[in-house]
Amino acid sequence: MDAIVAVQARMGSSRLPGKAMLPLDGTPALVHEINRAVSVDGIDHEDVVVATSETPRDNIIAITAKDAGATVYRGSEANVIGRIANAVEEVDADIAVRLCGDNTLIDPRLPETLLDMVRKDGIEYASSKFEHTFPIGHNVDGFTRGTITRAAQDADSDHHREHVAQYFKAYQDEVTAVNVTAEEVFGSEFVESIPAFRKLRLTLDEADDYRLLSRVYEEVSYDQIVETKKAIRYIVDNNLHRINADVEQQVW
């Protein structure tokens, strides 16, 4: 298998428990994210690997992901970097992108761009996070199999085992890494047309985020996925960004 999209998801969020299963337009948020991953060029349902934990409360994650056609890998709840590395190893993928299960408005062009980057000779890691140009909720990284395997072996703190991107931020000088900007994905004209583009919250991490996303999924027309640009324009034109503007969250 050449490339996969790994979606890390679990039920045990402290801020919004069970968020992966919250309904958006009647469908669990996790299924919407799987559909977005399938919209990535070259990715089929079996290429989407939902990496969840072995704890019983995450059985519903595994069942829902399988019903949606995705592949499921179950591993450590706390050692996320190990769980992702083992998922890549399990399906014998050469490269992967990692999505967080609460980013239900990810533009498929971002993981596409990251996969293209790590396919290039010499590039081991690509991220949207070295430079903060995207809205919150577009936190994606791509890597080779060897890179994530090495990272899982070398991560020597609970913090880095839990937060994959923060490990790579701390050790970015030890990998050949590139950054992808919002302008590369959305185009400069669109980014510049949206006030406070980088401050928009397009994630599902707090109750107010759920209020905003529920409005988007109920009121913006879509086929398989809500088009990200269309959603952003709707949010801004209708001042919906005020719903979750006061939520404080560390970007990394």
Side-chain angles (χ1 to χ4, degrees):
M1 185 180 291
D2 172 36
I4 64 167
V5 175
V7 180
Q8 66 180 66
R10 65 189 182 99
M11 294 294 287
S13 168
S14 59
R15 290 181 293 274
L16 190 61
K19 58 187 178 181
M21 295 304 299
L22 289 175
L24 295 170
D25 193 28
T27 299
L30 176 62
V31 176
H32 284 294
E33 185 140 3
I34 291 170
N35 289 340
R36 302 190 83 80
V38 174
S39 298
V40 173
D41 187 43
I43 298 295
D44 296 320
H45 279 88
E46 63 269 21
D47 303 321
V48 180
V49 181
V50 175
T52 192
S53 87
E54 297 171 321
T55 62
R57 65 184 172 190
D58 285 330
N59 289 348
I60 188 62
I61 297 284
I63 292 169
T64 301
K66 287 180 180 177
D67 287 347
T71 301
V72 174
Y73 175 81
R74 304 188 71 168
S76 169
E77 182 175 29
N79 186 2
V80 178
I81 199 167
R83 192 196 321 158
I84 297 298
N86 289 338
V88 173
E89 180 76 22
E90 180 77 11
V91 299
D92 197 25
D94 297 318
I95 59 175
V97 290
R98 180 184 65 94
L99 309 182
C100 295
D102 52 9
N103 294 162
T104 56
L105 282 177
I106 285 281
D107 193 305
R109 290 172 297 183
L110 175 53
E112 283 176 11
T113 302
L114 293 171
L115 285 173
D116 287 342
M117 289 293 178
V118 294
R119 282 192 178 100
K120 296 179 179 179
D121 288 342
I123 301 299
E124 298 176 291
Y125 182 78
S127 175
S128 64
K129 301 183 70 175
F130 286 125
E131 180 185 351
H132 178 39
T133 62
F134 286 91
I136 297 169
H138 271 67
N139 303 330
V140 186
D141 46 13
F143 34 76
T144 65
R145 178 173 167 177
T147 300
I148 192 66
T149 298
R150 188 170 68 249
Q153 293 170 344
D154 293 346
D156 57 2
S157 71
D158 290 343
H159 181 71
H160 285 156
R161 292 186 190 101
E162 182 180 359
H163 301 286
V164 179
Q166 292 196 19
Y167 169 87
F168 281 107
K169 181 183 180 182
Y171 296 101
Q172 59 185 289
D173 292 338
E174 299 183 14
V175 296
T176 305
V178 294
N179 182 74
V180 172
T181 68
E183 287 77 10
E184 292 175 78
V185 173
F186 290 104
S188 299
E189 183 177 352
F190 180 80
V191 172
E192 292 168 3
S193 73
I194 303 297
F197 180 82
R198 294 180 297 170
K199 294 183 179 181
L200 293 175
R201 286 186 59 84
L202 307 182
T203 189
L204 180 57
D205 199 52
E206 300 274 0
D208 284 343
D209 298 329
Y210 183 53
R211 289 175 55 212
L212 183 146
L213 289 171
S214 294
R215 290 278 300 273
V216 170
Y217 274 88
E218 290 168 2
E219 298 174 14
V220 177
S221 61
Y222 65 98
D223 185 7
Q224 182 180 11
I225 66 170
V226 174
E227 182 183 340
T228 307
K229 281 186 175 182
K230 190 175 180 181
I232 291 173
R233 186 66 71 185
Y234 183 84
I235 289 167
V236 173
D237 288 349
N238 292 275
N239 291 318
L240 298 185
H241 55 287
R242 295 180 179 177
I243 292 175
N244 61 357
D246 293 333
V247 176
E248 295 184 3
Q249 180 174 328
Q250 184 178 357
V251 174
W252 269 88

